[in-house]
Amino acid sequence: MALVAIVGRPNVGKSTLFNRLTKSRRAIVSDEAGTTRDRQYGKCDWNGKEFSVVDTGGWVVNSDDIFEDAIRKQVIVATEEADLVLFLVDVTNGLTDWDEDVAAILRRSKLPVILVANKVDNNDQFYDAYEFYKLGLGDPQPISSATGSGTGDLLDLVMEKLQGVKEEQDVEDGVPRFAVVGRPNAGKSSLINAFIGEERHIVTDIAGTTRDSIYTRYDKFGFDFYLVDTAGIRRKNKVTEDLEFYSVMRSIRSIESSDVCILMIDATRGIEAQDMNIFQLIQKNQKSLVVVVNKWDLVEDKSQKAIKFFEDAIRDRMAPFTDFPIIFASALTKQRIFKVLETAKQVYLNRKVKIGTTKLNEVMLPLIEATPPPSIKGKYIKIKYCSQLPNTQIPSFVFYANLPQYVKEPYKRFLENKIRENWELTGSPINIFIRQK
């Protein structure tokens, strides 16, 4: 799937445009440190074509000394990772030195760029957009992200520019696709090398190395799957390795192209905000999950108590989704590497589980009768029948009720937990739908 990045200086309306494109009304800004930043990633659907959108605005620590430098780095990362950049400028403020600075980076990148003149709220302001021709990035596209004016034309232009982007490599149907994801230095490349059994040159110095996901077919020892590897195949520019935005931009394409995500967590550092950002991406894309706690050879206390403490901490952070396997491994010593592959394969099979309607009703209806949905406003909710939906990406179940609008999220979670207790669905997300009977 194509990836579009929105860049621009603060307060030009990046978040408003992001909300409009992804049809969301999310609170984009939060001052709390470590708050998950998945709100800056979403999908846009225009005329039946879908692409991913990243709002770079929410990824900057707002302090004057590093502010501009951090944004500049993000623009560089965006040009390396995205297929198209929307460069937002503000007609009410006019052209600034900072706009010229970013335009210079974008001109050098050779990446398709659409110059978007935002806050054109009336006809007179159309003429204010003309001064942005100075940036040398083509025609400024006048829009108002607040009112939506001009966004249809902008999306038409986006689709036109994305026509040349290759959708996805041809891969054989029915062969699982595993992506190894995690923040920088968690050991992704070491794990991939351990799987393949050879040192691959993951990093190349050639500018503009392929932007497609790299599928490596693995068919040894009774396994057959594609390894989706985008970690580090592009040249490492002058971007600080621990930049949060960098690891998320790197992960988006891998996650979207896979069935199962192997999330690497560094045992020496524990679970951090960056791991949570990537976990949120996995959840949003409804991918199956295996968590690998890497560098376990470096941990002194390997007692069962320590393992239990680590597992509880991970599940606690990732709640309410807690039904996924956790493996303590070492990519360097190859400890439990085989177990990682076996588990990923099982999780993929769990994703494909089909449950017969008769069996599902036999098990679920007595449980629902014993614990019915709570009554609301004196109305009693009755669930009479359930079935699994056919031909879905992940196991999806529909429950038919007399008052579906009154069945709330906690009860859906109860239904999901009961399904998980009775069938092997570890690692796979589940959809629960309540419909009018």
Side-chain angles (χ1 to χ4, degrees):
M1 193 183 295
L3 183 58
V4 174
I6 303 173
V7 304
R9 60 187 167 75
N11 304 321
V12 291
K14 293 189 296 297
S15 299
T16 315
L17 179 61
F18 172 84
N19 284 348
R20 191 161 285 286
L21 294 183
T22 56
K23 296 188 177 127
S24 57
R25 287 281 176 278
R26 306 176 193 161
I28 295 290
V29 183
S30 167
D31 298 326
E32 197 179 322
T35 313
T36 174
R37 298 254 170 77
D38 77 307
R39 293 180 297 269
Q40 274 71 44
Y41 162 78
K43 290 193 166 69
C44 175
D45 191 312
W46 185 247
N47 291 340
K49 288 274 172 60
E50 203 178 39
F51 59 89
S52 303
V53 190
V54 178
D55 164 24
T56 62
W59 297 87
V60 178
V61 184
N62 194 349
S63 75
D64 294 335
D65 54 337
I66 63 159
F67 197 41
E68 287 198 359
D69 192 38
I71 299 172
R72 202 171 285 118
K73 282 174 180 167
Q74 278 176 206
V75 173
I76 293 167
V77 173
T79 58
E80 287 200 340
E81 301 298 321
D83 297 300
L84 173 69
V85 170
L86 298 182
F87 177 28
L88 230 63
V89 290
D90 179 351
V91 296
T92 57
N93 284 349
L95 189 60
T96 66
D97 293 348
W98 198 87
D99 292 329
E100 291 182 351
D101 200 9
V102 173
I105 296 171
L106 293 175
R107 283 198 305 271
R108 284 196 299 271
S109 75
K110 306 283 191 292
L111 189 71
V113 176
I114 298 175
L115 180 61
V116 184
N118 192 25
K119 304 189 185 177
V120 178
D121 297 322
N122 57 53
N123 287 341
D124 294 340
Q125 288 175 308
F126 264 96
Y127 304 108
D128 297 335
Y130 293 145
E131 72 167 313
F132 294 102
Y133 272 106
K134 282 184 191 169
L135 296 175
L137 290 169
D139 300 336
Q141 189 69 27
I143 69 156
S144 168
S145 53
T147 65
S149 164
T151 48
D153 291 340
L154 173 63
L155 281 165
D156 286 341
L157 191 56
V158 167
M159 297 321 295
E160 193 183 306
K161 296 260 188 189
L162 289 177
Q163 271 179 351
V165 176
K166 211 160 72 164
E167 276 300 302
E168 204 169 85
Q169 247 170 286
D170 290 330
V171 291
E172 204 176 302
D173 285 342
V175 179
R177 293 177 292 186
F178 300 159
V180 180
V181 293
R183 55 181 157 72
N185 304 323
K188 298 187 295 294
S189 298
S190 306
L191 185 70
I192 290 163
N193 288 338
F195 284 160
I196 294 166
E198 60 197 58
E199 290 297 320
R200 289 172 71 217
H201 297 293
I202 301 284
V203 182
T204 76
D205 297 324
I206 307 156
T209 310
T210 174
R211 292 175 182 276
D212 297 320
S213 297
I214 300 297
Y215 291 102
T216 306
R217 186 77 176 257
Y218 183 101
D219 52 0
K220 299 179 190 172
F221 312 113
F223 291 106
D224 187 10
F225 61 88
Y226 286 107
L227 205 53
V228 184
D229 167 24
T230 59
I233 56 165
R234 299 197 262 300
R235 68 194 166 93
K236 289 189 169 79
N237 210 311
K238 302 176 192 74
V239 180
T240 48
E241 269 291 350
D242 59 353
L243 187 65
E244 221 174 329
F245 175 69
Y246 175 80
S247 63
V248 170
M249 283 290 282
R250 285 268 152 117
S251 304
I252 287 172
R253 211 179 294 262
S254 309
I255 291 167
E256 288 180 347
S257 305
S258 68
D259 299 307
V260 179
C261 292
I262 298 168
L263 174 58
M264 305 280 286
I265 292 174
D266 186 335
T268 61
R269 292 175 65 170
I271 188 162
E272 297 182 331
Q274 237 169 313
D275 300 312
M276 288 307 299
N277 288 328
I278 294 168
F279 170 70
Q280 296 282 354
L281 287 175
I282 294 167
Q283 272 214 308
K284 184 167 283 189
N285 282 285
Q286 296 195 314
K287 303 301 181 182
S288 300
L289 174 68
V290 176
V291 172
V292 176
V293 180
N294 191 31
K295 306 186 186 177
W296 193 240
D297 54 316
L298 302 179
V299 176
E300 286 179 20
D301 183 6
K302 295 184 175 69
S303 64
Q304 283 302 314
K305 192 176 174 186
I307 288 172
K308 175 84 169 66
F309 177 79
F310 220 119
E311 281 189 351
D312 289 348
I314 291 169
R315 293 191 202 283
D316 187 50
R317 288 291 298 275
M318 295 185 179
F321 180 46
T322 56
D323 186 19
F324 53 83
I326 300 173
I327 299 165
F328 294 83
S330 166
L332 202 63
T333 65
K334 301 195 177 178
Q335 178 190 15
R336 297 197 189 90
I337 291 299
F338 204 69
K339 178 87 184 289
V340 174
L341 290 180
E342 284 180 331
T343 309
K345 183 180 175 182
Q346 185 54 51
V347 163
Y348 174 77
L349 294 174
N350 295 349
R351 189 181 175 85
K352 302 289 178 190
V353 161
K354 296 283 181 281
I355 302 167
T357 304
T358 310
K359 186 70 181 164
L360 189 66
N361 282 276
E362 267 175 24
V363 172
M364 294 302 292
L365 292 183
L367 292 170
I368 291 166
E369 209 168 309
T371 315
S375 61
I376 293 181
K377 301 175 185 172
K379 291 182 167 67
Y380 290 96
I381 302 155
K382 292 187 179 69
I383 294 175
K384 291 286 186 188
Y385 175 76
C386 56
S387 68
Q388 183 176 357
L389 293 170
N391 308 321
T392 53
Q393 284 286 327
I394 60 170
S396 301
F397 302 90
V398 61
F399 290 80
Y400 294 95
N402 58 338
L403 298 162
Q405 68 274 28
Y406 291 141
V407 179
K408 301 294 181 218
E409 208 54 48
Y411 195 77
K412 286 186 187 177
R413 216 148 36 232
F414 162 78
L415 293 174
E416 179 180 331
N417 290 339
K418 291 300 171 193
I419 290 172
R420 288 186 185 280
E421 280 171 25
N422 287 281
W423 288 277
E424 182 57 53
L425 290 162
T426 301
S428 175
I430 292 178
N431 282 329
I432 301 285
F433 302 105
I434 314 291
R435 295 273 186 269
Q436 186 77 42
K437 67 172 184 185

